[in-house]
Amino acid sequence: MADTRREVERKYESGDSGLPDLTGVPGLESIVDRGVAHLDALYYDTADERLAASSLTLRRRTGGSDAGWHLKFPVAPGVRDEVHAPLSDTVPESLARLVRSRVRHAELSPVVRLRSDRDLRHLLDGAGRLLAEISVDTVHAERLTGEGGTARWTEIEVELADGTDPAFLDKVDKKLRKEGLRPSDSPSKLARALAETESAATTPQAAPAPAVAPAAAPKRKRRSRPVGKPVTAGDHVLAYVRAQRDALVELDPAVRQGVPDSVHRMRVATRRLRSTFRSFRSVLDRETTDPIGVDLKWLAAELGLERDQEVLAERLLSALDELPDTLVHGPVHDRLTTWAEAAHSGAHSEVTAVLDSRRYLTLLDTLDTLLADPPLRKKAAGDPDKVLAKAVSKDLAKVSALVARARDLPPGHDRDVALHEARKKTKRTRYAAEAAGPALKAPAKDLVKSMKELQSLLGDHQDSIMARRTLRELSAVAHAAGESAFTYGLLHGHEERRAEIVEAALPETWTSVRKSTDF
């Protein structure tokens, strides 16, 4: 079983003079010598150092008070989330899964060994509470790949104790700088070890090709451009695609750990990618992007199993909580809660299985391949103001047609379907405007805002449809169990009314949207 803690620390260059005098640091009343610990750590990575490229560290360490496996994710400068697992001979599966979006099918093996003599002290306040740990670390680094290589250095590390105000580190920092120390240029020991032994290591190999290549497209001249400030229409589209690819990779561990809102954010990144491929077919060749879009649609649907469940459960429970007790007949709250918890547990298990699937990992590989060698069409080299604006306008016209069609239909199933289609096209237009934002500036920004407003309205309508379907199912189960179905019917009527309010507000909202857009 793995556990996670937030690590807040600062590192400083140190000579052979040891720990400077800390007298006068506000709030510090005493320093307790905790002796010298001998630490031996093996750092694991792929042959092409994919974890290091993402500023992640995975190590197996013995010695000291926290022997075991440690996986560290960067949060901010000097701040990392550290996931622990018990000591074992091989990489624990609980940690291997958290780096799978980076590692894919590559093997994890030791790349660096760090042996450190840690002279540790505890910094305490007047009540004897631990404020921080400060250590003088004498480090011997050995590269285990290529031709090897070694490095030695001494550094001072200050790590904040749990519950201590981070401002305490600023006070210690001020004192250490006054004593002549300077912050380390390296964010971690591993980063420094890799840098200082680089000359003796082999040149990292390129990432392996995807296990399954994208569908073949007709031969054409590729017009790739190095990553940098977008210039052409193709640059802007690829920058947006790259950002969403990165979001998928970075959110993967959070989804596996059940971090709140992570599933939603990953699903949004998936939908943004698919929408971008569909909206900008004049920029990226669809013979390459359409097959990727199929896999993106699959991934979004799988992620939706959990996200939709979260939204629906919250909606129904909130509506129930607003009812007076006199209108709640039977164990409605217990039944809703049990349904929500059971569905969430099953959905999360399915999502994590999807993230371990070959199809998902191949999708990530395929996105990497597309970005490395983009299937750019002729208009990709064009003026972004013209090319991107035309694509966004085309999407907006589709939204307009769908809204008009829905408004002309009588209330019922057909209108519900039309409004749902309008909602999906609204999202697509919003994402296209987001991608075009850096080029089109204010008009794109205004359109994003308008589409979010319309999307929210139409989303409420679709959520009402799903809520009514669920209430009918739960009502039938309750009735079969001999319970009253009164409250379920009451909630169903409430949802019908919410849908009617949305439909009544749509004409005015759409008029406002059209007036605020400049496309």
Side-chain angles (χ1 to χ4, degrees), residues 309 312-314 316-317 320 330-347 470 474 477-478 483 488:
Q309 189 64 46
L312 191 54
E314 182 180 350
L316 293 176
L317 288 170
L320 180 62
V332 183
H333 192 279
D334 289 344
R335 186 170 291 284
L336 273 175
T337 302
T338 300
W339 164 80
E341 291 177 348
H344 172 77
S345 176
T470 300
L474 291 174
V477 174
E483 301 167 8
Y488 299 101

Side-chain angles (χ1 to χ4, degrees), residues 229-230 236-237 239-240 384-385 388 432-442 444-445:
K229 184 177 180 180
H236 283 276
V237 172
Y240 193 72
D385 290 352
L388 303 185
E434 286 179 352
L440 304 184
K441 308 298 182 184
K445 183 178 180 180

Side-chain angles (χ1 to χ4, degrees), residues 392 396 429-430 433 442-452 513 516-517 519:
V392 174
L396 183 59
T429 304
R430 171 189 167 187
K445 183 178 180 180
D446 292 341
L447 182 57
V448 169
K449 182 178 179 181
S450 296
M451 291 297 100
K452 287 177 68 175
V513 166
S516 65
T517 57
F519 281 89

Side-chain angles (χ1 to χ4, degrees), residues 389-420:
K390 184 176 180 179
V392 174
S393 296
K394 187 176 180 180
D395 281 344
L396 183 59
K398 292 179 180 179
V399 174
S400 180
L402 287 168
V403 171
R405 178 174 180 271
R407 290 172 58 184
D408 290 340
L409 291 170
H413 175 73
D414 289 345
R415 176 185 278 187
D416 290 344
V417 172
L419 288 173
H420 184 46

Side-chain angles (χ1 to χ4, degrees), residues 1 69 92 96 99 107 113 131 162 170 211 247 326 347 382 387 399 408 415 422 437 443 446 449 480 504:
M1 179 67 70
W69 287 88
V99 298
E107 181 183 358
R113 182 183 184 185
L131 297 171
D162 293 341
D170 295 331
T326 55
V387 176
V399 174
D408 290 340
R415 176 185 278 187
D446 292 341
K449 182 178 179 181

Side-chain angles (χ1 to χ4, degrees), residues 28 39 42 62 113 134 249 295 397-398 404 408-409 413 435:
L28 175 60
L39 312 177
L42 287 175
T62 57
R113 182 183 184 185
I134 188 167
V249 171
D295 285 338
K398 292 179 180 179
D408 290 340
L409 291 170
H413 175 73

Side-chain angles (χ1 to χ4, degrees), residues 63-389:
S65 60
D66 63 344
W69 287 88
H70 309 140
L71 172 62
K72 299 188 181 186
F73 292 91
V75 176
V79 182
R80 292 184 290 182
D81 280 340
E82 185 174 274
V83 187
H84 289 201
L87 198 63
S88 61
D89 292 336
T90 59
V91 179
E93 181 61 20
S94 60
L95 301 189
R97 286 181 172 178
L98 296 182
V99 298
R100 192 153 290 158
S101 63
R102 271 98 170 175
V103 172
R104 317 284 169 81
H105 306 285
E107 181 183 358
L108 287 168
S109 57
V111 294
V112 166
R113 182 183 184 185
L114 292 183
R115 286 170 290 175
S116 305
D117 294 327
R118 169 162 289 181
D119 188 356
L120 180 65
R121 292 170 176 80
H122 282 179
L123 307 184
L124 310 178
D125 65 10
R129 290 187 293 263
L130 180 65
L131 297 171
E133 293 184 344
I134 188 167
S135 62
V136 180
D137 296 344
T138 303
V139 185
H140 173 222
E142 178 185 4
R143 186 182 282 266
L144 304 177
T145 57
E147 298 177 5
T150 62
R152 293 178 181 271
W153 71 87
T154 302
E155 67 181 33
I156 291 179
E157 181 177 294
V158 188
E159 182 175 345
L160 199 68
D162 293 341
T164 302
D165 186 344
F168 180 70
L169 286 184
D170 295 331
K171 298 172 184 177
V172 175
D173 177 80
K174 184 177 180 180
K175 179 65 174 179
L176 292 178
R177 288 174 184 262
K178 186 176 180 180
E179 293 294 324
L181 269 66
R182 64 179 181 85
S184 174
D185 293 330
S186 298
S188 67
K189 288 183 174 65
L190 176 62
R192 182 166 184 171
L194 290 173
E196 295 193 10
T197 62
E198 183 177 14
S199 59
T202 57
T203 302
Q205 301 297 311
V212 178
K219 291 184 177 180
R220 59 188 173 276
K221 182 179 179 181
R222 301 279 185 157
R223 293 172 290 277
S224 60
R225 178 184 294 273
V227 177
K229 184 177 180 180
V231 176
T232 65
D235 292 342
H236 283 276
V237 172
L238 289 174
Y240 193 72
V241 170
R242 185 174 294 105
Q244 306 317 313
R245 186 279 313 269
D246 291 348
L248 289 182
V249 171
E250 292 167 7
L251 285 166
D252 179 295
V255 171
R256 294 175 186 272
Q257 292 177 297
V259 175
D261 202 41
S262 59
V263 171
H264 170 60
R265 292 165 60 201
M266 190 176 196
R267 189 185 188 191
V268 168
T270 304
R271 284 176 162 171
R272 280 173 168 153
L273 276 168
R274 182 167 178 258
S275 293
T276 300
F277 292 151
R278 292 168 66 88
S279 294
F280 299 105
R281 285 172 171 169
S282 65
V283 175
L284 296 174
D285 195 304
R286 65 180 298 179
E287 291 193 49
T288 296
T289 60
D290 279 0
I292 302 175
V294 172
D295 285 338
L296 290 169
K297 182 179 181 180
W298 160 78
L299 179 58
E302 295 291 343
L303 293 172
L305 294 174
E306 183 171 359
R307 172 59 182 170
D308 290 346
Q309 189 64 46
E310 290 176 356
V311 172
L312 191 54
E314 182 180 350
R315 183 184 183 99
L316 293 176
L317 288 170
S318 296
L320 180 62
D321 290 341
E322 292 175 1
L323 291 179
D325 292 342
T326 55
L327 297 181
V328 180
H329 295 185
V332 183
H333 192 279
D334 289 344
R335 186 170 291 284
L336 273 175
T337 302
T338 300
W339 164 80
E341 291 177 348
H344 172 77
S345 176
H348 185 72
S349 298
E350 291 183 24
V351 167
T352 52
V354 165
L355 299 186
D356 286 331
S357 70
R358 184 179 185 85
R359 185 175 184 180
Y360 165 71
L361 297 175
T362 299
L363 171 60
L364 296 182
D365 284 337
T366 305
L367 290 171
D368 289 349
T369 299
L370 180 141
L371 288 166
D373 188 17
L376 299 175
R377 300 186 65 192
K378 184 177 180 180
K379 288 188 177 180
D383 182 352
D385 290 352
K386 295 180 180 179
V387 176
L388 303 185

